[in-house]
Structure formats: structure tokens, C-alpha cells
PDB file of all heavy atoms in Angstrom:
ATOM      1  N   LYS A   1      41.921 153.610  45.174  1.00 89.00           N
ATOM      2  CA  LYS A   1      41.935 153.590  43.777  1.00 89.00           C
ATOM      3  C   LYS A   1      40.778 152.764  43.152  1.00 89.00           C
ATOM      4  O   LYS A   1      40.740 152.627  41.899  1.00 89.00           O
ATOM      5  CB  LYS A   1      43.278 153.087  43.169  1.00 89.00           C
ATOM      6  CG  LYS A   1      44.407 154.071  43.600  1.00 89.00           C
ATOM      7  CD  LYS A   1      45.741 153.546  42.993  1.00 89.00           C
ATOM      8  CE  LYS A   1      46.970 154.509  43.446  1.00 89.00           C
ATOM      9  NZ  LYS A   1      48.216 153.992  42.794  1.00 89.00           N
ATOM     10  N   ASN A   2      40.010 152.112  43.988  1.00 90.00           N
ATOM     11  CA  ASN A   2      38.988 151.123  43.540  1.00 90.00           C
ATOM     12  C   ASN A   2      39.644 150.170  42.690  1.00 90.00           C
ATOM     13  O   ASN A   2      39.070 149.781  41.498  1.00 90.00           O
ATOM     14  CB  ASN A   2      37.925 151.883  42.862  1.00 90.00           C
ATOM     15  CG  ASN A   2      37.050 152.752  43.878  1.00 90.00           C
ATOM     16  OD1 ASN A   2      36.838 152.254  44.962  1.00 90.00           O
ATOM     17  ND2 ASN A   2      36.619 153.902  43.356  1.00 90.00           N
ATOM     18  N   MET A   3      40.729 149.513  43.026  1.00 94.00           N
ATOM     19  CA  MET A   3      41.471 148.478  42.394  1.00 94.00           C
ATOM     20  C   MET A   3      41.658 147.266  43.133  1.00 94.00           C
ATOM     21  O   MET A   3      41.895 147.362  44.284  1.00 94.00           O
ATOM     22  CB  MET A   3      42.759 149.086  41.791  1.00 94.00           C
ATOM     23  CG  MET A   3      42.693 150.228  40.813  1.00 94.00           C
ATOM     24  SD  MET A   3      42.094 149.685  39.169  1.00 94.00           S
ATOM     25  CE  MET A   3      43.429 148.891  38.602  1.00 94.00           C
ATOM     26  N   VAL A   4      41.622 146.094  42.489  1.00 96.00           N
ATOM     27  CA  VAL A   4      41.984 144.794  43.053  1.00 96.00           C
ATOM     28  C   VAL A   4      42.895 144.201  42.159  1.00 96.00           C
ATOM     29  O   VAL A   4      42.802 144.094  40.916  1.00 96.00           O
ATOM     30  CB  VAL A   4      40.692 143.978  43.334  1.00 96.00           C
ATOM     31  CG1 VAL A   4      41.149 142.608  43.861  1.00 96.00           C
ATOM     32  CG2 VAL A   4      39.690 144.553  44.236  1.00 96.00           C
ATOM     33  N   TYR A   5      43.904 143.540  42.787  1.00 97.00           N
ATOM     34  CA  TYR A   5      45.012 142.959  42.022  1.00 97.00           C
ATOM     35  C   TYR A   5      45.224 141.391  42.335  1.00 97.00           C
ATOM     36  O   TYR A   5      44.756 140.912  43.438  1.00 97.00           O
ATOM     37  CB  TYR A   5      46.289 143.585  42.336  1.00 97.00           C
ATOM     38  CG  TYR A   5      46.285 145.138  42.063  1.00 97.00           C
ATOM     39  CD1 TYR A   5      46.119 145.961  43.228  1.00 97.00           C
ATOM     40  CD2 TYR A   5      46.408 145.626  40.927  1.00 97.00           C
ATOM     41  CE1 TYR A   5      46.117 147.382  43.089  1.00 97.00           C
ATOM     42  CE2 TYR A   5      46.390 147.110  40.758  1.00 97.00           C
ATOM     43  CZ  TYR A   5      46.319 147.914  41.761  1.00 97.00           C
ATOM     44  OH  TYR A   5      46.224 149.280  41.594  1.00 97.00           O
ATOM     45  N   LEU A   6      45.733 140.770  41.409  1.00 98.00           N
ATOM     46  CA  LEU A   6      46.117 139.338  41.535  1.00 98.00           C
ATOM     47  C   LEU A   6      47.479 139.079  41.144  1.00 98.00           C
ATOM     48  O   LEU A   6      47.710 139.161  39.941  1.00 98.00           O
ATOM     49  CB  LEU A   6      45.144 138.438  40.940  1.00 98.00           C
ATOM     50  CG  LEU A   6      45.267 136.852  41.187  1.00 98.00           C
ATOM     51  CD1 LEU A   6      44.977 136.567  42.585  1.00 98.00           C
ATOM     52  CD2 LEU A   6      44.614 136.005  40.216  1.00 98.00           C
ATOM     53  N   GLN A   7      48.345 139.029  42.116  1.00 98.00           N
ATOM     54  CA  GLN A   7      49.773 138.789  41.641  1.00 98.00           C
ATOM     55  C   GLN A   7      50.009 137.257  41.606  1.00 98.00           C
ATOM     56  O   GLN A   7      49.768 136.501  42.491  1.00 98.00           O
ATOM     57  CB  GLN A   7      50.776 139.379  42.778  1.00 98.00           C
ATOM     58  CG  GLN A   7      52.151 139.006  42.495  1.00 98.00           C
ATOM     59  CD  GLN A   7      52.724 139.735  41.295  1.00 98.00           C
ATOM     60  OE1 GLN A   7      52.393 140.884  41.131  1.00 98.00           O
ATOM     61  NE2 GLN A   7      53.437 139.075  40.333  1.00 98.00           N
ATOM     62  N   MET A   8      50.422 136.840  40.400  1.00 98.00           N
ATOM     63  CA  MET A   8      50.497 135.422  40.147  1.00 98.00           C
ATOM     64  C   MET A   8      52.002 135.089  39.920  1.00 98.00           C
ATOM     65  O   MET A   8      52.646 135.702  38.959  1.00 98.00           O
ATOM     66  CB  MET A   8      49.678 135.022  38.803  1.00 98.00           C
ATOM     67  CG  MET A   8      48.181 135.411  39.019  1.00 98.00           C
ATOM     68  SD  MET A   8      47.197 134.800  37.613  1.00 98.00           S
ATOM     69  CE  MET A   8      47.932 135.556  36.350  1.00 98.00           C
ATOM     70  N   ASN A   9      52.478 134.217  40.705  1.00 98.00           N
ATOM     71  CA  ASN A   9      53.912 133.773  40.563  1.00 98.00           C
ATOM     72  C   ASN A   9      54.041 132.265  40.358  1.00 98.00           C
ATOM     73  O   ASN A   9      53.034 131.514  40.576  1.00 98.00           O
ATOM     74  CB  ASN A   9      54.777 134.160  41.854  1.00 98.00           C
ATOM     75  CG  ASN A   9      54.741 135.777  42.130  1.00 98.00           C
ATOM     76  OD1 ASN A   9      54.931 136.450  41.196  1.00 98.00           O
ATOM     77  ND2 ASN A   9      54.711 136.107  43.327  1.00 98.00           N
ATOM     78  N   SER A  10      55.115 131.795  39.855  1.00 97.00           N
ATOM     79  CA  SER A  10      55.265 130.369  39.759  1.00 97.00           C
ATOM     80  C   SER A  10      54.175 129.747  38.786  1.00 97.00           C
ATOM     81  O   SER A  10      53.709 128.729  39.175  1.00 97.00           O
ATOM     82  CB  SER A  10      55.431 129.648  40.984  1.00 97.00           C
ATOM     83  OG  SER A  10      56.541 130.190  41.723  1.00 97.00           O
ATOM     84  N   LEU A  11      53.841 130.401  37.753  1.00 98.00           N
ATOM     85  CA  LEU A  11      52.699 130.044  36.932  1.00 98.00           C
ATOM     86  C   LEU A  11      52.944 128.618  36.352  1.00 98.00           C
ATOM     87  O   LEU A  11      54.096 128.301  35.984  1.00 98.00           O
ATOM     88  CB  LEU A  11      52.369 131.076  35.798  1.00 98.00           C
ATOM     89  CG  LEU A  11      51.650 132.261  36.365  1.00 98.00           C
ATOM     90  CD1 LEU A  11      51.785 133.381  35.321  1.00 98.00           C
ATOM     91  CD2 LEU A  11      50.243 132.018  36.618  1.00 98.00           C
ATOM     92  N   LYS A  12      51.833 127.884  36.171  1.00 97.00           N
ATOM     93  CA  LYS A  12      51.889 126.519  35.592  1.00 97.00           C
ATOM     94  C   LYS A  12      50.961 126.535  34.437  1.00 97.00           C
ATOM     95  O   LYS A  12      50.040 127.208  34.250  1.00 97.00           O
ATOM     96  CB  LYS A  12      51.415 125.542  36.639  1.00 97.00           C
ATOM     97  CG  LYS A  12      52.296 125.478  38.008  1.00 97.00           C
ATOM     98  CD  LYS A  12      51.597 124.503  38.987  1.00 97.00           C
ATOM     99  CE  LYS A  12      52.453 124.611  40.218  1.00 97.00           C
ATOM    100  NZ  LYS A  12      51.750 123.706  41.278  1.00 97.00           N
ATOM    101  N   PRO A  13      51.296 125.492  33.505  1.00 97.00           N
ATOM    102  CA  PRO A  13      50.358 125.477  32.382  1.00 97.00           C
ATOM    103  C   PRO A  13      48.904 125.124  32.742  1.00 97.00           C
ATOM    104  O   PRO A  13      48.007 125.712  32.028  1.00 97.00           O
ATOM    105  CB  PRO A  13      50.830 124.198  31.631  1.00 97.00           C
ATOM    106  CG  PRO A  13      52.357 124.126  31.956  1.00 97.00           C
ATOM    107  CD  PRO A  13      52.435 124.678  33.424  1.00 97.00           C
ATOM    108  N   GLU A  14      48.640 124.492  33.919  1.00 96.00           N
ATOM    109  CA  GLU A  14      47.284 124.382  34.387  1.00 96.00           C
ATOM    110  C   GLU A  14      46.623 125.737  34.824  1.00 96.00           C
ATOM    111  O   GLU A  14      45.295 125.713  35.145  1.00 96.00           O
ATOM    112  CB  GLU A  14      47.230 123.231  35.307  1.00 96.00           C
ATOM    113  CG  GLU A  14      47.963 123.445  36.505  1.00 96.00           C
ATOM    114  CD  GLU A  14      49.372 122.633  36.381  1.00 96.00           C
ATOM    115  OE1 GLU A  14      49.934 122.706  35.326  1.00 96.00           O
ATOM    116  OE2 GLU A  14      49.767 122.047  37.345  1.00 96.00           O
ATOM    117  N   ASP A  15      47.322 126.712  34.937  1.00 97.00           N
ATOM    118  CA  ASP A  15      46.754 128.044  35.279  1.00 97.00           C
ATOM    119  C   ASP A  15      46.195 128.675  34.126  1.00 97.00           C
ATOM    120  O   ASP A  15      45.557 129.705  34.184  1.00 97.00           O
ATOM    121  CB  ASP A  15      47.764 128.875  35.880  1.00 97.00           C
ATOM    122  CG  ASP A  15      48.313 128.519  37.207  1.00 97.00           C
ATOM    123  OD1 ASP A  15      47.398 128.000  38.071  1.00 97.00           O
ATOM    124  OD2 ASP A  15      49.557 128.511  37.468  1.00 97.00           O
ATOM    125  N   THR A  16      46.344 128.150  32.937  1.00 98.00           N
ATOM    126  CA  THR A  16      45.862 128.788  31.718  1.00 98.00           C
ATOM    127  C   THR A  16      44.242 128.826  31.713  1.00 98.00           C
ATOM    128  O   THR A  16      43.750 127.800  32.003  1.00 98.00           O
ATOM    129  CB  THR A  16      46.261 128.029  30.442  1.00 98.00           C
ATOM    130  OG1 THR A  16      47.698 128.082  30.302  1.00 98.00           O
ATOM    131  CG2 THR A  16      45.665 128.476  29.198  1.00 98.00           C
ATOM    132  N   ALA A  17      43.755 130.090  31.478  1.00 98.00           N
ATOM    133  CA  ALA A  17      42.347 130.167  31.763  1.00 98.00           C
ATOM    134  C   ALA A  17      42.069 131.631  31.370  1.00 98.00           C
ATOM    135  O   ALA A  17      42.903 132.547  31.290  1.00 98.00           O
ATOM    136  CB  ALA A  17      41.820 129.876  33.057  1.00 98.00           C
ATOM    137  N   VAL A  18      40.710 132.012  31.241  1.00 98.00           N
ATOM    138  CA  VAL A  18      40.231 133.270  31.220  1.00 98.00           C
ATOM    139  C   VAL A  18      40.015 133.825  32.685  1.00 98.00           C
ATOM    140  O   VAL A  18      39.285 132.965  33.428  1.00 98.00           O
ATOM    141  CB  VAL A  18      38.957 133.572  30.332  1.00 98.00           C
ATOM    142  CG1 VAL A  18      38.508 134.990  30.603  1.00 98.00           C
ATOM    143  CG2 VAL A  18      39.222 133.147  28.943  1.00 98.00           C
ATOM    144  N   TYR A  19      40.611 134.795  33.136  1.00 98.00           N
ATOM    145  CA  TYR A  19      40.507 135.273  34.523  1.00 98.00           C
ATOM    146  C   TYR A  19      39.529 136.445  34.670  1.00 98.00           C
ATOM    147  O   TYR A  19      39.648 137.353  34.073  1.00 98.00           O
ATOM    148  CB  TYR A  19      41.848 135.692  35.091  1.00 98.00           C
ATOM    149  CG  TYR A  19      42.801 134.402  35.445  1.00 98.00           C
ATOM    150  CD1 TYR A  19      43.239 133.616  34.464  1.00 98.00           C
ATOM    151  CD2 TYR A  19      43.005 134.218  36.815  1.00 98.00           C
ATOM    152  CE1 TYR A  19      44.072 132.531  34.812  1.00 98.00           C
ATOM    153  CE2 TYR A  19      43.758 133.030  37.162  1.00 98.00           C
ATOM    154  CZ  TYR A  19      44.340 132.239  36.110  1.00 98.00           C
ATOM    155  OH  TYR A  19      44.983 131.227  36.489  1.00 98.00           O
ATOM    156  N   HIS A  20      38.520 136.231  35.445  1.00 98.00           N
ATOM    157  CA  HIS A  20      37.476 137.126  35.620  1.00 98.00           C
ATOM    158  C   HIS A  20      37.514 137.767  37.027  1.00 98.00           C
ATOM    159  O   HIS A  20      37.881 136.983  38.020  1.00 98.00           O
ATOM    160  CB  HIS A  20      36.079 136.564  35.399  1.00 98.00           C
ATOM    161  CG  HIS A  20      35.790 136.007  34.076  1.00 98.00           C
ATOM    162  ND1 HIS A  20      35.122 136.766  33.129  1.00 98.00           N
ATOM    163  CD2 HIS A  20      36.194 134.897  33.552  1.00 98.00           C
ATOM    164  CE1 HIS A  20      35.041 136.016  31.961  1.00 98.00           C
ATOM    165  NE2 HIS A  20      35.658 134.837  32.148  1.00 98.00           N
ATOM    166  N   CYS A  21      37.248 138.985  37.233  1.00 98.00           N
ATOM    167  CA  CYS A  21      36.871 139.552  38.569  1.00 98.00           C
ATOM    168  C   CYS A  21      35.493 139.673  38.762  1.00 98.00           C
ATOM    169  O   CYS A  21      34.699 139.966  37.784  1.00 98.00           O
ATOM    170  CB  CYS A  21      37.645 140.799  38.923  1.00 98.00           C
ATOM    171  SG  CYS A  21      37.363 142.236  37.762  1.00 98.00           S
ATOM    172  N   GLY A  22      35.004 139.419  39.906  1.00 97.00           N
ATOM    173  CA  GLY A  22      33.473 139.506  40.236  1.00 97.00           C
ATOM    174  C   GLY A  22      33.424 140.318  41.536  1.00 97.00           C
ATOM    175  O   GLY A  22      34.301 140.308  42.384  1.00 97.00           O
ATOM    176  N   ALA A  23      32.184 140.798  41.650  1.00 95.00           N
ATOM    177  CA  ALA A  23      31.914 141.441  42.894  1.00 95.00           C
ATOM    178  C   ALA A  23      30.622 141.168  43.560  1.00 95.00           C
ATOM    179  O   ALA A  23      29.642 140.703  42.843  1.00 95.00           O
ATOM    180  CB  ALA A  23      31.936 143.060  42.609  1.00 95.00           C
ATOM    181  N   ARG A  24      30.457 141.397  44.804  1.00 94.00           N
ATOM    182  CA  ARG A  24      29.224 141.112  45.529  1.00 94.00           C
ATOM    183  C   ARG A  24      29.077 141.959  46.794  1.00 94.00           C
ATOM    184  O   ARG A  24      30.101 142.465  47.154  1.00 94.00           O
ATOM    185  CB  ARG A  24      29.089 139.577  46.066  1.00 94.00           C
ATOM    186  CG  ARG A  24      30.358 139.135  46.787  1.00 94.00           C
ATOM    187  CD  ARG A  24      30.055 137.852  47.532  1.00 94.00           C
ATOM    188  NE  ARG A  24      28.976 138.002  48.525  1.00 94.00           N
ATOM    189  CZ  ARG A  24      28.734 137.065  49.364  1.00 94.00           C
ATOM    190  NH1 ARG A  24      29.288 135.766  49.146  1.00 94.00           N
ATOM    191  NH2 ARG A  24      27.818 137.117  50.255  1.00 94.00           N
ATOM    192  N   THR A  25      27.930 142.061  47.241  1.00 92.00           N
ATOM    193  CA  THR A  25      27.788 142.809  48.480  1.00 92.00           C
ATOM    194  C   THR A  25      28.492 142.091  49.685  1.00 92.00           C
ATOM    195  O   THR A  25      28.429 140.797  49.859  1.00 92.00           O
ATOM    196  CB  THR A  25      26.230 142.962  48.913  1.00 92.00           C
ATOM    197  OG1 THR A  25      25.516 143.591  47.844  1.00 92.00           O
ATOM    198  CG2 THR A  25      26.044 143.779  50.230  1.00 92.00           C
ATOM    199  N   TYR A  26      29.161 142.895  50.579  1.00 92.00           N
ATOM    200  CA  TYR A  26      29.744 142.298  51.618  1.00 92.00           C
ATOM    201  C   TYR A  26      28.886 142.079  52.804  1.00 92.00           C
ATOM    202  O   TYR A  26      28.258 143.106  53.238  1.00 92.00           O
ATOM    203  CB  TYR A  26      30.888 142.995  52.088  1.00 92.00           C
ATOM    204  CG  TYR A  26      31.717 142.670  53.464  1.00 92.00           C
ATOM    205  CD1 TYR A  26      32.326 141.509  53.430  1.00 92.00           C
ATOM    206  CD2 TYR A  26      31.656 143.604  54.544  1.00 92.00           C
ATOM    207  CE1 TYR A  26      32.901 141.059  54.646  1.00 92.00           C
ATOM    208  CE2 TYR A  26      32.290 143.144  55.693  1.00 92.00           C
ATOM    209  CZ  TYR A  26      32.916 141.914  55.721  1.00 92.00           C
ATOM    210  OH  TYR A  26      33.596 141.559  56.770  1.00 92.00           O
ATOM    211  N   ASP A  27      28.600 140.901  53.168  1.00 92.00           N
ATOM    212  CA  ASP A  27      27.766 140.614  54.256  1.00 92.00           C
ATOM    213  C   ASP A  27      28.185 139.331  55.039  1.00 92.00           C
ATOM    214  O   ASP A  27      29.372 138.942  54.933  1.00 92.00           O
ATOM    215  CB  ASP A  27      26.202 140.298  53.732  1.00 92.00           C
ATOM    216  CG  ASP A  27      26.196 139.228  52.676  1.00 92.00           C
ATOM    217  OD1 ASP A  27      26.885 138.180  52.803  1.00 92.00           O
ATOM    218  OD2 ASP A  27      25.276 139.313  51.829  1.00 92.00           O
ATOM    219  N   SER A  28      27.299 138.802  55.888  1.00 94.00           N
ATOM    220  CA  SER A  28      27.802 137.773  56.729  1.00 94.00           C
ATOM    221  C   SER A  28      28.109 136.428  55.942  1.00 94.00           C
ATOM    222  O   SER A  28      28.698 135.470  56.630  1.00 94.00           O
ATOM    223  CB  SER A  28      26.670 137.437  57.812  1.00 94.00           C
ATOM    224  OG  SER A  28      25.466 137.022  57.160  1.00 94.00           O
ATOM    225  N   THR A  29      27.737 136.324  54.711  1.00 95.00           N
ATOM    226  CA  THR A  29      28.155 135.243  53.988  1.00 95.00           C
ATOM    227  C   THR A  29      29.367 135.285  53.126  1.00 95.00           C
ATOM    228  O   THR A  29      29.631 134.627  52.116  1.00 95.00           O
ATOM    229  CB  THR A  29      26.999 134.635  53.073  1.00 95.00           C
ATOM    230  OG1 THR A  29      26.772 135.710  52.022  1.00 95.00           O
ATOM    231  CG2 THR A  29      25.625 134.621  53.953  1.00 95.00           C
ATOM    232  N   TRP A  30      30.168 136.310  53.496  1.00 95.00           N
ATOM    233  CA  TRP A  30      31.407 136.788  52.656  1.00 95.00           C
ATOM    234  C   TRP A  30      32.292 135.489  52.397  1.00 95.00           C
ATOM    235  O   TRP A  30      32.905 135.489  51.359  1.00 95.00           O
ATOM    236  CB  TRP A  30      32.108 137.877  53.336  1.00 95.00           C
ATOM    237  CG  TRP A  30      32.811 137.453  54.542  1.00 95.00           C
ATOM    238  CD1 TRP A  30      32.420 137.495  55.829  1.00 95.00           C
ATOM    239  CD2 TRP A  30      34.073 136.938  54.662  1.00 95.00           C
ATOM    240  NE1 TRP A  30      33.291 136.955  56.765  1.00 95.00           N
ATOM    241  CE2 TRP A  30      34.380 136.663  56.027  1.00 95.00           C
ATOM    242  CE3 TRP A  30      35.099 136.609  53.790  1.00 95.00           C
ATOM    243  CZ2 TRP A  30      35.610 136.066  56.543  1.00 95.00           C
ATOM    244  CZ3 TRP A  30      36.338 136.076  54.202  1.00 95.00           C
ATOM    245  CH2 TRP A  30      36.591 135.855  55.622  1.00 95.00           C
ATOM    246  N   TYR A  31      32.342 134.643  53.278  1.00 96.00           N
ATOM    247  CA  TYR A  31      33.234 133.480  53.203  1.00 96.00           C
ATOM    248  C   TYR A  31      32.863 132.389  52.179  1.00 96.00           C
ATOM    249  O   TYR A  31      33.622 131.572  51.904  1.00 96.00           O
ATOM    250  CB  TYR A  31      33.377 132.831  54.591  1.00 96.00           C
ATOM    251  CG  TYR A  31      32.005 132.454  55.169  1.00 96.00           C
ATOM    252  CD1 TYR A  31      31.492 131.302  54.831  1.00 96.00           C
ATOM    253  CD2 TYR A  31      31.362 133.339  55.981  1.00 96.00           C
ATOM    254  CE1 TYR A  31      30.079 130.862  55.272  1.00 96.00           C
ATOM    255  CE2 TYR A  31      30.121 133.110  56.572  1.00 96.00           C
ATOM    256  CZ  TYR A  31      29.545 131.886  56.144  1.00 96.00           C
ATOM    257  OH  TYR A  31      28.253 131.481  56.743  1.00 96.00           O
ATOM    258  N   ASP A  32      31.588 132.508  51.560  1.00 97.00           N
ATOM    259  CA  ASP A  32      31.156 131.622  50.539  1.00 97.00           C
ATOM    260  C   ASP A  32      31.863 132.052  49.276  1.00 97.00           C
ATOM    261  O   ASP A  32      31.519 133.126  48.707  1.00 97.00           O
ATOM    262  CB  ASP A  32      29.764 131.734  50.500  1.00 97.00           C
ATOM    263  CG  ASP A  32      29.122 130.574  49.543  1.00 97.00           C
ATOM    264  OD1 ASP A  32      29.780 130.006  48.661  1.00 97.00           O
ATOM    265  OD2 ASP A  32      27.883 130.428  49.653  1.00 97.00           O
ATOM    266  N   THR A  33      32.724 131.261  48.717  1.00 97.00           N
ATOM    267  CA  THR A  33      33.441 131.467  47.605  1.00 97.00           C
ATOM    268  C   THR A  33      32.999 131.103  46.290  1.00 97.00           C
ATOM    269  O   THR A  33      33.576 131.093  45.216  1.00 97.00           O
ATOM    270  CB  THR A  33      34.892 131.022  47.798  1.00 97.00           C
ATOM    271  OG1 THR A  33      34.927 129.625  47.778  1.00 97.00           O
ATOM    272  CG2 THR A  33      35.600 131.525  48.849  1.00 97.00           C
ATOM    273  N   ALA A  34      31.632 130.628  46.295  1.00 97.00           N
ATOM    274  CA  ALA A  34      31.008 130.021  45.055  1.00 97.00           C
ATOM    275  C   ALA A  34      30.794 131.225  44.107  1.00 97.00           C
ATOM    276  O   ALA A  34      30.377 132.311  44.477  1.00 97.00           O
ATOM    277  CB  ALA A  34      29.695 129.445  45.364  1.00 97.00           C
ATOM    278  N   PRO A  35      31.269 130.953  42.884  1.00 97.00           N
ATOM    279  CA  PRO A  35      31.086 132.040  41.760  1.00 97.00           C
ATOM    280  C   PRO A  35      29.671 132.579  41.629  1.00 97.00           C
ATOM    281  O   PRO A  35      29.480 133.563  41.366  1.00 97.00           O
ATOM    282  CB  PRO A  35      31.495 131.279  40.465  1.00 97.00           C
ATOM    283  CG  PRO A  35      32.437 130.220  40.908  1.00 97.00           C
ATOM    284  CD  PRO A  35      31.911 129.710  42.299  1.00 97.00           C
ATOM    285  N   SER A  36      28.691 131.557  41.956  1.00 97.00           N
ATOM    286  CA  SER A  36      27.326 132.086  41.898  1.00 97.00           C
ATOM    287  C   SER A  36      26.885 133.209  42.869  1.00 97.00           C
ATOM    288  O   SER A  36      25.990 133.772  42.686  1.00 97.00           O
ATOM    289  CB  SER A  36      26.380 130.809  42.101  1.00 97.00           C
ATOM    290  OG  SER A  36      26.509 130.228  43.454  1.00 97.00           O
TER     291      SER A  36
END
């Protein structure tokens, strides 16, 4: 379905934010979680 989900439970006030999804090419550096 070309869909990605984020199930959020036990939410806390500090979770308040704008949530974005981002995409990148899957390669050998996939484990680098930096937004950049």
C-alpha cells in the first residue's frame, strides 16, 4: 500500500510536536537516523 505507520501509545505531554515522515535511499548507511 506504500504506507508507513506510527502507532503511538501512552502519550505524554512532551510528545507534543509536529510529526513528519521523511524518506531516503536505502543503502549501507541506513542505520544513520539523523534527520539530515
Side-chain angles (χ1 to χ4, degrees):
K1 296 181 178 180
N2 291 323
M3 297 288 290
V4 177
Y5 305 99
L6 185 69
Q7 178 65 47
M8 304 186 294
N9 299 322
S10 301
L11 283 162
K12 304 175 181 179
E14 53 262 44
D15 295 319
T16 296
V18 176
Y19 283 70
H20 298 263
C21 58
R24 58 167 291 183
T25 302
Y26 175 62
D27 58 32
S28 61
T29 70
W30 69 270
Y31 52 83
D32 188 343
T33 60
S36 62

